[in-house]
Amino acid sequence: MQSATVSRTPSELRQAALDHIFIGMNNHAMLGEEGGPLIVEKGDGIYVWDVDGTRYIDGISGMYFRNVGHGREEIAKAIYEQISDLSANVYASVTPAAVELAAKIAELAPGDLSRTFFCQGGSEANESALKLAQAYHVRMGERGRYKVISRRGSYHGATYGTMWLGEHPGFPRTDYQPKPSSAVHVAAPHFYRCEFNSESPEECGELSALAIEKAILSEGPESVSAVIGEPVTQPMGGVVPPENYWPMVREICDRYGVLLIFDEVITGFGRLGEWFGADVVKTQPDIISFAKGITSGYFPLGGCIGDRRIADAFAGGPEKTWSHMYTYSAHPGGVSAGLKNLEIIEREGLIQNARERGVQMADRLKAMEERFEIIGEARGIGLVQGLEMVEDGESKKSFAPEVGIGMRMTEALKRRGVWIRVGAYILPLSPPLTISASEVDDLCDAVEDSIEEVSAGL
Ligand SMILES: Cc1ncc(COP(=O)(O)O)c(C=O)c1O
């Protein structure tokens, strides 16, 4: 069911894709050997179809954004109707839909988070949050605060600034050296691979929080603007921090006048079984950045929301203005998609479904951890789950790159009708929040059979 403008056959499309598109994070020679990239043309619920008509379960919701599932005509219609009336903002204006959406986000967000800046995606959301934090400190008379503390293993974006946050091994920055002095990295609260060899999750949580305090002190508190982190970290495969971690980090930030930014680009809008990850980890941040799930990817939209204290810092004369914008901030198509998307999440009880299906999936994944030597740990909450694959369960040794464990697993899943591009050692699972109990079983059956096949072939 190709659109009228597409005249190529599926194999011509794959070749033309290799010739003309940079396919994000992928090596073209490798994609060529695989016969070209997956080219999808239709989606419905948790499924997508490629140009050959093969159906796949979308195991990671596109890229962790398809919260309400594929094929929602009512969102397409809301966008169509909005951009038929008004297709873009005019300078220094807002639209009624943008106002409604910002008010709705303020109502849903924890504490007194109340004023949103809209942009187009997650990297810009974090970029904006960092600028908001630094500008806030300047308004408060602290011009020297520019450093940002982030945790190893996190991912916060691809722009020139955000790529330095986190230090995820899957996103090497060797092409873009040198690292800016604003980027300070600390250990993640990841008990399975605790950098402090902690004996309990609590100890790992405490030592990881104290690592932030240590970094603030060694950098000089007067130079630190913010700590940024995802309440639950997806890139390392659904790392849920020990319960004591975020409350301790909150106290440490308060002690040194450092702002706490939660990157909720993945965790926002229901994926963890609450509206926000902040609700799950019971910690109030000063700023939340969001994207993906706000529109379920039906239109590129992101943003960051600051609390009342931050909003107030920009009240007053012209010198208080926050000088920051994008041409397509609060695009009318995006904000109307967002409003309709949130309406669906509420109307269909998708947050509760994410919670329940998350428990169901976690039970199945834990059973796989027990059954297979190559599954080191199953972890996650809600619909951010992951399996860490190891060569040796005892020593937790990861597979050597030559084994190509990710590619073997990707192909085994694909043969079973599941599309998840598996990385070097994490098999992520984050289906749409609409997934039913029987679909969770189908997905988990395919994962279990794939692990069995790959294990046997090693
Ligand atoms: C936690 C997190 N933050 C930020 C980003 C960057 O978002 P985008 O790719 O929309 O720029 C991502 C993207 O996957 C993400 O997972």
Side-chain angles (χ1 to χ4, degrees):
M1 201 216 292
Q2 290 177 0
S3 79
T5 50
V6 177
S7 57
R8 291 176 163 88
T9 64
S11 60
E12 286 168 350
L13 277 173
R14 282 189 280 272
Q15 188 54 52
L18 291 173
D19 292 342
H20 300 299
I21 306 182
F22 277 114
I23 300 165
M25 298 300 298
N26 277 281
N27 177 288
H28 278 223
M30 277 171 65
L31 282 176
E33 279 168 27
E34 290 168 31
L38 178 77
I39 304 187
V40 286
E41 65 170 354
K42 184 177 144 50
D44 189 21
I46 65 161
Y47 302 104
V48 290
W49 283 259
D50 71 7
V51 280
D52 298 302
T54 308
R55 189 185 84 166
Y56 298 97
I57 294 178
D58 180 2
I60 56 163
S61 301
M63 246 175 76
Y64 312 95
F65 55 72
R66 200 57 101 192
N67 286 15
V68 301
H70 294 268
R72 294 283 189 168
E73 278 182 23
E74 58 183 313
I75 303 184
K77 203 156 162 263
I79 298 168
Y80 174 81
E81 283 169 1
Q82 170 63 69
I83 64 180
S84 301
D85 287 342
L86 181 78
S87 59
N89 292 315
V90 293
Y91 186 56
S93 73
V94 291
T95 56
V99 178
E100 294 292 351
L101 184 61
K104 182 71 189 172
I105 297 170
E107 179 196 315
L108 299 174
D112 68 346
L113 291 171
S114 53
R115 189 175 296 187
T116 288
F117 171 83
F118 286 112
C119 54
Q120 288 86 246
S123 305
E124 286 180 359
N126 284 327
E127 199 80 50
S128 301
L130 299 189
K131 287 177 74 173
L132 181 61
Q134 191 173 349
Y136 164 80
H137 290 302
V138 174
R139 297 299 173 286
M140 303 309 285
E142 294 192 279
R143 192 165 277 283
R145 288 186 182 265
Y146 71 100
K147 292 179 187 161
V148 181
I149 297 174
S150 57
R151 294 103 36 84
R152 284 187 273 281
S154 292
Y155 176 74
H156 297 290
T159 55
Y160 215 68
T162 57
M163 73 174 163
W164 292 105
L165 307 172
E167 243 191 3
H168 187 274
F171 300 90
R173 273 140 293 193
T174 42
D175 290 339
Y176 311 111
Q177 298 291 323
K179 180 176 116 174
S181 62
S182 56
V184 180
H185 299 135
V186 295
H190 184 4
F191 181 53
Y192 183 71
R193 297 220 174 256
C194 183
E195 289 188 28
F196 310 103
N197 291 320
S198 301
E199 286 183 359
S200 67
E202 294 66 38
E203 192 190 357
C204 181
E206 184 178 338
L207 293 177
S208 306
L210 289 175
I212 291 182
E213 181 166 41
K214 222 168 136 193
I216 294 174
L217 290 171
S218 76
E219 295 292 328
E222 68 293 343
S223 72
V224 180
S225 172
V227 170
I228 187 168
E230 319 92 313
V232 167
T233 311
Q234 181 282 321
M236 301 305 281
V239 175
V240 183
E243 274 177 27
N244 57 348
Y245 175 75
W246 280 121
M248 266 189 82
V249 174
R250 175 71 273 179
E251 274 176 37
I252 290 166
C253 286
D254 288 343
R255 198 170 310 140
Y256 300 102
V258 170
L259 294 182
L260 179 58
I261 302 171
F262 273 177
D263 175 347
E264 299 236 26
V265 166
I266 288 180
T267 56
F269 307 103
R271 190 154 277 288
L272 300 184
E274 296 286 349
W275 275 107
F276 288 93
D279 304 318
V280 174
V281 300
K282 300 185 175 57
T283 301
Q284 180 66 40
D286 302 298
I287 300 172
I288 282 180
S289 55
F290 60 84
K292 302 191 190 255
I294 180 66
T295 63
S296 291
Y298 281 80
F299 206 100
L301 184 75
C304 62
I305 181 166
D307 67 13
R308 180 64 48 209
R309 179 179 57 135
I310 291 175
D312 288 350
F314 297 92
E319 76 288 355
K320 298 275 188 180
T321 312
W322 184 30
S323 303
H324 179 59
M325 63 163 274
Y326 298 106
T327 300
Y328 299 122
S329 283
H331 191 287
V335 290
S336 29
L339 276 174
K340 187 53 79 179
N341 176 64
L342 297 186
E343 185 191 311
I344 295 171
I345 292 175
E346 279 186 317
R347 190 180 71 216
E348 297 187 2
L350 295 184
I351 294 184
Q352 185 170 342
N353 194 55
R355 205 179 309 143
E356 291 171 4
R357 299 287 71 79
V359 171
Q360 181 192 352
M361 192 183 287
D363 285 348
R364 289 285 312 262
L365 299 179
K366 270 287 164 208
M368 292 181 217
E369 176 192 307
E370 276 156 32
R371 181 174 166 206
F372 297 108
E373 175 74 13
I374 68 162
I375 301 304
E377 190 181 51
R379 51 182 179 250
I381 183 168
L383 293 177
V384 175
Q385 304 273 342
L387 294 171
E388 177 159 348
M389 299 172 294
V390 289
E391 189 178 284
D392 175 14
E394 197 65 30
S395 68
K396 303 185 187 172
K397 184 174 171 234
S398 299
F399 284 101
E402 313 81 80
V403 179
I405 190 75
M407 197 38 68
R408 287 175 192 237
M409 208 62 91
T410 300
E411 282 170 7
L413 286 163
K414 194 174 172 202
R415 281 195 296 281
R416 290 167 176 80
V418 172
W419 181 251
I420 298 174
R421 208 150 167 102
V422 183
Y425 46 95
I426 300 294
L427 194 167
L429 286 144
S430 280
L433 277 49
T434 53
I435 194 164
S436 68
S438 66
E439 288 169 338
V440 166
D441 279 333
D442 293 345
L443 175 58
C444 291
D445 288 347
V447 170
E448 189 156 2
D449 290 350
S450 301
I451 299 171
E452 188 173 7
E453 178 195 305
V454 170
S455 292
L458 284 170

